[in-house]
Amino acid sequence: MIEAQIFSNVRLPGFTGSQEITVEQGAIAAIQPQPAVIAAHSLDLGGDWLSLGGIDLQINGALGLAFPDLNATNADKLSVINEFLWQQGVDGYLPTIVTTSLENMQRSLAVVAEHQATAATATILGVHLEGPFLNPVKRGAHPAEHLQPLTISQVQRVLGDYASSVKVMTLAPELDPSGEVIPYLRSLGMTVSLGHSLATANQAQQAFEQGATMVTHAFNAMPPLHHREPGLLGAALVHPAVQ
């Protein structure tokens, strides 16, 4: 039988003063104010804060490796990155592949697809595909030569056999006047995020009604709020489904 783990002198959000936490079978069994006598065999955190591990939805690389550059020769570095992120308090993350060539995108997707299951380190939860369906005017550092038109056929071409590995896609909704792409991506189980966009408030509202629920790096690579044209930001701020 596995003995309970006890963490002493812990600070927790929403609690006043130091707490003692008892963990049994991987779940918190009790939280109580710190007793005067520290339990034997407990781990004394010395007043440090304890919280759930973080989930990073957009990380473009780490330890000198940009995720669009993943290939068979550097794939083993993912386990090192997972361990590094775990030490920083990250439980899971989405390696983000920014706009690059179709060949690079699919090669990187293939590598991540083979490394999503990990041991007791930060877990790769899937891929965040930031591009290539972005507005050229707001592309930022994304190379113009690799941007693509936003159509279902182009999305299928980019995803290839790795649609199940992509959990979030950032796109500019105004590039799809048909309104077909976002529902298609949602049918694949993806979260759709709006970004690198010149969408008007009406276009953004339509995208949210079609199933988009996020905004990528709000205020960056999109028009600012304006009293006559609130734009993507204004629509996002008032829509209840936007995270």
Side-chain angles (χ1 to χ4, degrees):
M1 182 176 178
I2 300 176
E3 295 184 2
Q5 294 177 293
I6 299 176
F7 299 89
S8 300
N9 288 323
V10 176
R11 286 192 292 172
L12 295 171
F15 290 79
T16 301
S18 294
Q19 306 294 313
E20 181 182 84
I21 301 175
T22 302
V23 176
E24 296 178 354
Q25 297 182 348
I28 293 176
I31 299 175
Q32 63 177 339
Q34 176 62 49
V37 178
I38 296 177
H41 310 298
S42 70
L43 178 61
D44 188 347
L45 297 189
D48 281 347
W49 289 94
L50 184 66
S51 70
L52 296 173
I55 301 295
D56 198 324
L57 300 181
Q58 184 178 12
I59 177 169
N60 297 85
L63 303 180
L65 175 63
F67 291 133
D69 296 332
L70 281 167
N71 56 54
T73 61
N74 59 30
D76 57 344
K77 196 167 185 178
L78 278 176
S79 61
V80 181
I81 291 173
N82 294 346
E83 177 64 29
F84 170 76
L85 293 175
W86 175 259
Q87 294 298 326
Q88 313 311 309
V90 175
D91 273 359
Y93 70 107
L94 299 179
T96 300
I97 300 173
V98 296
T99 304
T100 182
S101 69
L102 178 62
E103 178 186 4
N104 287 350
M105 279 193 167
Q106 293 197 342
R107 184 192 64 225
S108 299
L109 284 169
V111 171
V112 174
E114 294 178 1
H115 290 79
Q116 285 188 222
T118 62
T121 62
T123 299
I124 295 175
L125 303 174
V127 170
H128 178 168
L129 206 58
E130 187 184 357
F133 309 108
L134 310 176
N135 193 308
V137 178
K138 289 295 183 179
R139 64 183 177 85
H142 294 250
E145 64 269 25
H146 296 311
L147 296 177
Q148 301 291 334
L150 184 56
T151 65
I152 290 179
S153 62
Q154 283 300 108
V155 167
Q156 292 172 333
R157 182 168 175 261
V158 168
L159 295 176
D161 297 327
Y162 306 106
S164 62
S165 294
V166 178
K167 303 305 180 185
V168 175
M169 181 181 289
T170 294
L171 54 78
E174 69 274 18
L175 301 183
D176 175 30
S178 75
E180 297 176 345
V181 173
I182 291 175
Y184 172 72
L185 294 173
R186 294 293 299 126
S187 75
L188 298 177
M190 291 185 204
T191 295
V192 177
S193 186
L194 309 185
H196 289 273
S197 170
L198 285 175
T200 64
N202 286 338
Q203 289 170 325
Q205 174 71 20
Q206 290 172 3
F208 294 137
E209 295 303 323
Q210 291 162 6
T213 56
M214 286 179 54
V215 175
T216 294
H217 45 58
F219 289 90
N220 184 27
M222 61 189 67
L225 282 170
H226 189 277
H227 65 289
R228 291 183 179 175
E229 177 46 72
L232 167 56
L233 289 168
L237 288 171
V238 299
H239 199 286
V242 179
Q243 303 170 5

